[in-house]
Amino acid sequence: MENYTYNSFTLQIEGLNVSKESIYPVFLFFFFSYLFIMVTNVGIAALVFTDKTLHQPMYLLFCNLPINDILGNSIMLPRLLLDILRPPSERLISYYECVVQAFTTHMFGTTSHTVLMIMAFDRYVAICNPLRYSAIMTNKMVMKLIVSAWGVAFVLVGILLGLTIRLNRCRTMIMNPYCDNASLFKLSCESVFINNVYGLTFTVVLFTFSIGTMVLTYTKITIVCLTSKNKSLNSKALKTCSTHLVVYLIMVFNGMSIITLHRFPQYSDYRKLSTILFHVIPGSLNPIIYGQMENYTYNSLTLQIEGLEITKTNKYPIFIFLLSSYVFILIANIGIVILIWKERSLHQPMYLLFCNLSVNDVMGNSALIPRVIADIQVSPSQRLIHYYDCLLQAYIAHMFGTNAHIVLMIMAFDRYVAICYPLRYSTIMNDKMVIKLTVSAWGVAFVLVGILLGLTIRLNRCRTLIRNSFCDNASLFKLSCESVYVFILIANIGIVILIWKERSLHQPMYLLFCNLSVNDVMGNSALIPRLIADIQVSPSQRLIHYYECLLQAFIAHMSGTNAHTVLMIMAFDRYVAICNPLRYSTIMNDKMVIKLTVSAWGVAFVLVGILLGLTIRLNLCRTLIRNFFCDNASLFKLSCESMENYTYNSLTLQIEGLQITKTNKYPIFIFLLSSYVFILIANIGIVILIWKERSLHQPMYLLFCNLSVNDVMGNSALIPRVIADIQVSPSQRLIHYYDCLLQAFIAHMSGTNAHTVLMIMAFDRYVAICNPLRYSTIMNDKMVIKLTVSAWGVAFVLVGILLGLTIRLNRCRTLIRNSFCDNASLFKLSCENVFINNVYGLTFTVVLLSSSIGSIILTYSKITAACLTNKSKS
């Protein structure tokens, strides 16, 4: 019973006194502060460790500050974050855990002083004895200074806490947000005179030596700078010493604030906040301030844009195209805005919201195209841009893209109200609502893009080449040598811990969301550390074991597949929550959440397992992974199976493709791509229109649908493959034999079917004009189906026989002398007699063309005769 009152091993921490309204703002502030501290300090330590040019005494000594910040904040802030979410009565801590926290806290403060003292000595030697710097600041000296800084702090803090541990305790309440020496010895009812004397002596000695060292070294540095006429020396001193001095003053100010507030009990809440900020502020500002020192070497404010790769022959056509496009965009969009502004009849929500698109187009294109046009006129080495100009361009570029989506969303909402609630349209879509929607569209885009680029601005840059034709976020953060892996890791693990600890977040939505965080951690942990390691070595040393490569490929594909499956189950959760709110808790119970989670991971596991299982069975004859990480495609390309059949019935063929030059490569690519997109949109649009519009459910339109379906099928089998082949060298234009057969079948089906469909459409027109009274009787639904099936069936049989005769042949060649696979190219691969193929192919062509031309001539002759003999003008 005595130990229950005395020397209790369970203590209660008072913590921060925060109201219910401010719990989450305070929590988020400290949580993101901790994330920032971890990311920046780990990033700086990793940068100094990996970059050999930074293996200098100044940077090696500075590394102790980030390590100290990580140590100090990791012991204090996570515990504080948990305590904020708990009621005061549940903020309990073990005595030994409290002692460890107090030891680490005092080590953090003391080591900050001792490290800054040895850094001041380093600056003194560098500036006052530059010729002897390398002789004095050897590796041994650096090690001695580092060990002495941590050793002195360890001994001083060890004695401080040792005097406190010996005391008996009669209280259990820690009157502070975290454990420290003062809070611990205040638990005792014994005399703490010795503790007070040592604590005061410890503080005075530490501050005296710390301030004395700073005053002494900086006085001598100042004297040297004032007496020296060497501008570069003075500049170097200003660069390196100013950062060091600012960090020291911030730390001293924080420390003095805590000591001062201890003397005023009425300001205990301010003292508690100051003790926390003593950890947070230096930990956050040290990387930023010392980042300025690194700017002496890194963070160039002049960047170079790679731009468009153009030749002298296409320089002016591209210039004229871009200039005319830009002028057209400006005139058209500004004209629309002025028209809507001037014409009062257009002052309606739909047009006012549409105005945002025009303004957005003008803004986005004005930030990009003039710069691109200017860069075309100069050589790549002269395409320079200031860092802040680049940031502005990236911001506007992302604003343009983001805002286009959001404006289209609010325009969709406007159309929804107009069509679904026409009577309430004027009430809902009033002036205030239009202004709100407009402001929200631009505001959301502003915030999202601001955060996106804010995360990039914080990174230090060690490169200057923008590998794009304009500045964007991806190009900017690729200039950095820092790793974003740490941020990904900390952010996702933090989310998982937060959801796990906070019971109010134990809801299906958050539990399902946890899967994304776990997936991100898994996927990035399999790729980024390996990638970082490979960057540090030469290409010949980037070796990986086959099974390790398999595991990496499995995790990479699991991460990608699982992201989709998890988002699918999250979409189901939102569907139930919004569409069935009353049954939500019944449907989305714990069992359902577990089932959905298991199914998401299980489906991904099975699919990826089969994918890689098919690859594992192959024998390998190559060793080079042509990618920066292992994936399925890279692995199965290592196989040489069927190589023995390379000269006889090889299953890997090479397509000759289009013979294009570098100058016309991109124009042809753009032409084919835009043509294919147009074909898809136009034909699919026609099919959907006929399907949706009941007035078009007539034989003529239903038969016409076959042409659109045929066009989509035929072009989808050819154009994407041709576009892909344009991007690679002729030797890499490889296709599997069965893929080639399928392409040839679809190509011939498309051509044959076009004739047969046009023949049945000619028949339809003949009946409609020559037998109008019997049209509905003859061209009924059954007849339409019969004609459609016969058109496709005849084509299928004819093409099937055509390619069946080709498949039977043995092949002794592998080069398809065409831009795509067709029957002629395929049977030319054979060294056997192809007489039968030629006879059937010729017969097939003659019969098809004769039937097609004959039916067209016959039907249209009769139609013409009917029109000439008929006196009806309509």
Side-chain angles (χ1 to χ4, degrees):
M1 285 295 289
E2 288 179 1
N3 287 336
Y4 186 74
T5 308
Y6 295 94
N7 297 336
S8 172
F9 284 100
T10 303
L11 308 178
Q12 183 180 347
I13 295 178
E14 187 180 38
L16 285 174
N17 296 321
V18 291
S19 61
K20 287 185 178 180
E21 294 79 16
S22 58
I23 283 177
Y24 289 105
V26 171
F27 175 85
L28 290 173
F29 170 73
F30 285 122
F31 177 68
F32 286 113
S33 298
Y34 179 58
L35 278 185
F36 181 77
I37 289 165
M38 292 299 289
V39 171
T40 51
N41 284 287
V42 170
I44 285 177
L47 179 64
V48 174
F49 174 68
T50 55
D51 195 335
K52 290 187 178 181
T53 60
L54 300 179
H55 290 184
Q56 299 171 27
M58 177 173 67
Y59 298 107
L60 295 173
L61 294 177
F62 168 66
C63 251
N64 290 278
L65 277 184
I67 292 167
N68 190 47
D69 288 336
I70 292 166
L71 180 73
N73 285 283
S74 294
I75 293 296
M76 191 271 293
L77 280 178
R79 174 80 206 192
L80 178 68
L81 290 170
L82 291 175
D83 286 342
I84 288 171
L85 299 173
R86 295 169 176 164
S89 60
E90 292 181 24
R91 296 171 184 171
L92 305 177
I93 189 172
S94 166
Y95 174 67
Y96 296 118
E97 187 183 345
C98 191
V99 169
V100 171
Q101 191 182 60
F103 182 84
T104 310
T105 301
H106 286 286
M107 269 293 288
F108 166 75
T110 309
T111 304
S112 297
H113 282 275
T114 54
V115 168
L116 287 168
M117 286 159 65
I118 62 173
M119 287 177 72
F121 173 74
D122 170 74
R123 290 301 83 209
Y124 162 72
V125 176
I127 294 165
C128 298
N129 293 283
L131 299 177
R132 294 180 59 206
Y133 181 72
S134 57
I136 297 171
M137 294 303 292
T138 60
N139 291 339
K140 282 188 179 180
M141 176 59 77
V142 172
M143 288 298 296
K144 283 179 182 178
L145 290 172
I146 292 171
V147 170
S148 64
W150 287 87
V152 168
F154 186 86
V155 171
L156 291 175
V157 175
I159 296 168
L160 184 75
L161 267 296
L163 292 172
T164 300
I165 292 169
R166 69 187 175 84
L167 299 170
N168 290 311
R169 304 176 302 283
C170 61
R171 303 180 186 91
T172 58
M173 177 67 82
I174 299 288
M175 295 288 185
N176 208 15
Y178 60 89
C179 296
D180 62 349
N181 182 61
S183 304
L184 278 170
F185 72 64
K186 284 178 183 176
L187 301 179
S188 176
C189 297
E190 298 180 14
S191 172
V192 292
F193 176 73
I194 296 173
N195 297 70
N196 281 321
V197 169
Y198 179 79
L200 187 61
T201 306
F202 169 73
T203 306
V204 169
V205 169
L206 182 65
F207 270 83
T208 302
F209 272 93
S210 177
I211 294 169
T213 303
M214 293 297 155
V215 170
L216 181 64
T217 53
Y218 277 91
T219 301
K220 291 195 174 186
I221 288 169
T222 305
I223 292 168
V224 169
C225 290
L226 291 174
T227 55
S228 174
K229 295 180 180 180
N230 189 334
K231 290 184 179 180
S232 64
L233 176 69
N234 295 342
S235 175
K236 184 179 179 182
L238 181 65
K239 277 276 186 184
T240 59
C241 296
S242 59
T243 54
H244 179 260
L245 197 58
V246 169
V247 169
Y248 180 76
L249 291 173
I250 289 169
M251 191 193 62
V252 170
F253 176 77
N254 275 283
M256 294 301 292
S257 299
I258 296 167
I259 294 169
T260 305
L261 289 169
H262 260 295
R263 305 293 179 266
F264 300 95
Q266 65 271 29
Y267 299 127
S268 61
D269 288 335
Y270 293 109
R271 177 183 58 79
K272 291 174 187 176
L273 185 61
S274 294
T275 56
I276 296 167
L277 294 179
F278 176 72
H279 288 72
V280 173
I281 291 174
S284 302
L285 293 182
N286 286 353
I288 296 171
I289 293 166
Y290 271 92
Q292 299 307 309
M293 180 180 73
E294 290 176 20
N295 285 343
Y296 187 71
T297 309
Y298 299 99
N299 297 338
S300 170
L301 292 178
T302 303
L303 308 178
Q304 181 183 347
I305 294 180
E306 190 177 43
L308 294 173
E309 294 180 5
I310 55 173
T311 61
K312 289 183 178 180
T313 54
N314 59 16
K315 177 180 176 180
Y316 291 106
I318 291 173
F319 172 81
I320 293 165
F321 170 73
L322 288 174
L323 182 62
S324 55
S325 299
Y326 178 57
V327 171
F328 177 76
I329 289 165
L330 281 187
I331 294 170
N333 284 286
I334 292 172
I336 287 170
V337 173
I338 293 169
L339 177 65
I340 294 171
W341 180 53
K342 289 283 187 183
E343 185 61 45
R344 290 195 175 184
S345 62
L346 299 179
H347 289 186
Q348 298 173 28
M350 179 175 68
Y351 298 108
L352 295 173
L353 293 177
F354 178 73
C355 258
N356 289 283
L357 277 184
S358 295
V359 172
N360 190 50
D361 287 339
V362 170
M363 179 188 74
N365 285 283
S366 295
L368 303 184
I369 297 180
R371 176 78 208 193
V372 175
I373 290 172
D375 286 340
I376 289 172
Q377 307 305 311
V378 296
S379 62
S381 61
Q382 293 177 305
R383 295 170 185 172
L384 305 177
I385 188 171
H386 195 278
Y387 175 64
Y388 296 118
D389 291 339
C390 191
L391 265 181
L392 180 63
Q393 190 184 61
Y395 188 86
I396 295 172
H398 287 286
M399 269 291 288
F400 166 71
T402 309
N403 207 42
H405 284 277
I406 302 173
V407 169
L408 287 170
M409 287 160 62
I410 62 174
M411 286 177 71
F413 172 74
D414 169 74
R415 290 301 82 205
Y416 163 74
V417 176
I419 295 165
C420 298
Y421 299 97
L423 300 177
R424 295 177 60 201
Y425 180 72
S426 57
T427 310
I428 297 171
M429 294 302 293
N430 51 33
D431 292 343
K432 283 188 178 179
M433 177 58 78
V434 172
I435 293 168
K436 282 181 181 178
L437 289 172
T438 303
V439 171
S440 64
W442 288 86
V444 168
F446 184 86
V447 172
L448 291 175
V449 177
I451 296 169
L452 181 75
L453 285 170
L455 294 170
T456 301
I457 292 169
R458 68 187 174 81
L459 301 171
N460 288 310
R461 304 177 304 283
C462 61
R463 304 179 185 93
T464 57
L465 181 60
I466 299 287
R467 294 194 174 276
N468 203 359
S469 52
F470 60 90
C471 296
D472 63 346
N473 183 61
S475 304
L476 279 168
F477 73 64
K478 285 177 183 175
L479 300 180
S480 174
C481 294
E482 295 186 17
S483 172
V484 293
Y485 171 61
V486 177
F487 176 77
I488 293 168
L489 206 61
I490 293 170
N492 284 289
I493 292 173
I495 288 169
V496 173
I497 292 170
L498 175 64
I499 293 172
W500 178 53
K501 288 285 186 182
E502 184 54 43
R503 292 191 177 183
S504 62
L505 300 179
H506 289 185
Q507 298 172 27
M509 178 175 69
Y510 298 108
L511 295 174
L512 294 177
F513 178 71
C514 255
N515 288 282
L516 278 185
S517 294
V518 173
N519 190 52
D520 287 340
V521 170
M522 178 188 75
N524 285 283
S525 295
L527 303 185
I528 298 179
R530 176 75 207 193
L531 182 62
I532 292 170
D534 286 342
I535 290 170
Q536 310 304 313
V537 297
S538 63
S540 61
Q541 293 178 305
R542 294 170 186 171
L543 305 177
I544 187 170
H545 195 278
Y546 176 66
Y547 294 119
E548 187 184 346
C549 189
L550 266 181
L551 180 63
Q552 190 184 61
F554 183 82
I555 296 172
H557 286 287
M558 268 292 288
S559 177
T561 309
N562 205 45
H564 286 278
T565 54
V566 169
L567 287 170
M568 286 159 64
I569 62 174
M570 287 176 72
F572 174 74
D573 169 75
R574 291 301 83 203
Y575 161 74
V576 176
I578 294 164
C579 298
N580 294 285
L582 300 177
R583 295 178 61 205
Y584 180 72
S585 57
T586 310
I587 298 171
M588 293 303 293
N589 52 34
D590 292 343
K591 283 188 178 180
M592 178 57 78
V593 172
I594 292 168
K595 282 181 182 177
L596 289 172
T597 302
V598 171
S599 64
W601 287 84
V603 168
F605 185 87
V606 171
L607 292 175
V608 176
I610 295 169
L611 182 75
L612 285 171
L614 294 171
T615 301
I616 292 169
R617 67 187 174 82
L618 301 171
N619 291 313
L620 310 180
C621 65
R622 302 180 187 92
T623 58
L624 181 60
I625 299 287
R626 293 194 176 277
N627 202 358
F628 53 87
F629 64 91
C630 295
D631 63 346
N632 183 61
S634 304
L635 278 168
F636 72 63
K637 285 178 183 176
L638 301 180
S639 174
C640 294
E641 291 210 1
S642 299
M643 279 293 286
E644 64 274 11
N645 292 329
Y646 181 71
T647 54
Y648 204 75
N649 293 339
S650 171
L651 292 179
T652 302
L653 307 179
Q654 182 182 347
I655 296 179
E656 189 177 46
L658 295 173
Q659 294 180 352
I660 55 173
T661 61
K662 288 185 178 180
T663 54
N664 58 16
K665 178 180 176 180
Y666 290 104
I668 291 173
F669 172 82
I670 292 165
F671 170 73
L672 288 174
L673 182 62
S674 55
S675 299
Y676 178 59
V677 171
F678 177 76
I679 289 165
L680 281 187
I681 293 170
N683 284 287
I684 292 172
I686 287 170
V687 173
I688 292 170
L689 176 64
I690 294 172
W691 179 54
K692 289 284 187 182
E693 186 60 45
R694 292 192 176 182
S695 62
L696 299 179
H697 289 186
Q698 298 172 27
M700 179 175 66
Y701 299 108
L702 295 173
L703 294 176
F704 177 71
C705 256
N706 289 281
L707 277 184
S708 295
V709 173
N710 189 53
D711 286 340
V712 170
M713 179 187 74
N715 285 283
S716 295
L718 303 185
I719 298 180
R721 177 75 207 194
V722 175
I723 290 172
D725 286 342
I726 288 172
Q727 307 305 310
V728 297
S729 63
S731 61
Q732 292 178 305
R733 295 169 184 171
L734 304 178
I735 187 170
H736 196 278
Y737 175 64
Y738 296 119
D739 292 338
C740 191
L741 266 181
L742 180 63
Q743 190 183 61
F745 182 82
I746 296 172
H748 287 287
M749 268 292 289
S750 177
T752 308
N753 208 43
H755 285 277
T756 55
V757 169
L758 287 169
M759 286 159 66
I760 62 174
M761 287 177 69
F763 173 74
D764 169 76
R765 291 301 82 206
Y766 161 72
V767 176
I769 295 167
C770 298
N771 293 283
L773 299 178
R774 295 178 60 205
Y775 181 75
S776 57
T777 309
I778 297 171
M779 294 302 292
N780 52 33
D781 291 343
K782 283 188 178 180
M783 178 57 77
V784 172
I785 293 169
K786 282 180 182 178
L787 290 172
T788 303
V789 171
S790 65
W792 287 84
V794 168
F796 186 87
V797 172
L798 292 174
V799 175
I801 296 169
L802 182 75
L803 285 171
L805 292 171
T806 300
I807 292 169
R808 67 186 176 83
L809 301 170
N810 288 312
R811 303 176 306 282
C812 61
R813 302 181 187 92
T814 58
L815 181 59
I816 300 287
R817 295 195 174 276
N818 201 0
S819 53
F820 61 90
C821 296
D822 63 347
N823 183 62
S825 304
L826 278 169
F827 72 64
K828 284 178 183 176
L829 301 180
S830 176
C831 298
E832 296 182 12
N833 187 348
V834 292
F835 175 76
I836 297 173
N837 298 73
N838 282 321
V839 169
Y840 178 80
L842 186 61
T843 306
F844 168 76
T845 307
V846 170
V847 170
L848 181 64
L849 290 177
S850 300
S851 302
S852 174
I853 296 168
S855 62
I856 298 294
I857 291 172
L858 181 64
T859 52
Y860 279 90
S861 297
K862 291 195 174 185
I863 289 168
T864 305
C867 291
L868 292 172
T869 56
N870 197 334
K871 296 180 180 180
S872 174
K873 291 183 179 180
S874 62

